């Protein structure tokens, strides 16, 4: 049985599909979460998406990188 995390991972990966005849491959998929509603779920999401990198305080072992927007 698929979980919400499984469904989310599938949907995020589907965002990277493109038509190579008229488009180039996306370099990144950005998912904004201004209100941080998904923050507590990120460790579970990262288990399903090893390619996921989170922007925030630099914690390389947690795949979180610093993003300075100044």
């Amino acid at each position: 049985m698929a979980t919400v995390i499984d469904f989310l991972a599938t949907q995020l990966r589907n965002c990277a599909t493109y038509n190579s005849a008229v488009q180039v491959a996306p370099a990144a998929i950005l998912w904004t979460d201004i209100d941080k509603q998904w923050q507590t779920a990120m460790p579970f999401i990262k288990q399903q998406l090893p390619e996921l990198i989170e922007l925030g305080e630099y914690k390389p072992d947690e795949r979180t990188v610093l993003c300075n927007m100044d």
Side-chain angles (χ1 to χ4, degrees), residues 3 6-7 12 18-19 21-22 24 28-29 31 33 38 40 42 46 55 57 65 67-68:
T3 65
D6 294 330
F7 179 78
L12 286 171
Y18 67 100
N19 181 343
V22 294
V24 297
I29 306 299
W31 173 21
D33 185 20
W38 290 88
T40 57
M42 289 306 291
K46 287 180 182 178
L55 300 179
E57 184 180 335
V65 298
C67 178
N68 187 352

Side-chain angles (χ1 to χ4, degrees), residues 1-13:
M1 173 176 267
T3 65
V4 172
I5 300 293
D6 294 330
F7 179 78
L8 179 64
T10 300
Q11 295 303 308
L12 286 171
R13 285 190 175 118

Side-chain angles (χ1 to χ4, degrees), residues 46 52-54 56-66:
K46 287 180 182 178
L52 178 66
I53 297 173
E54 184 178 3
E57 184 180 335
Y58 183 66
K59 297 177 187 173
D61 55 322
E62 297 177 23
R63 295 191 329 261
T64 304
V65 298
L66 183 63

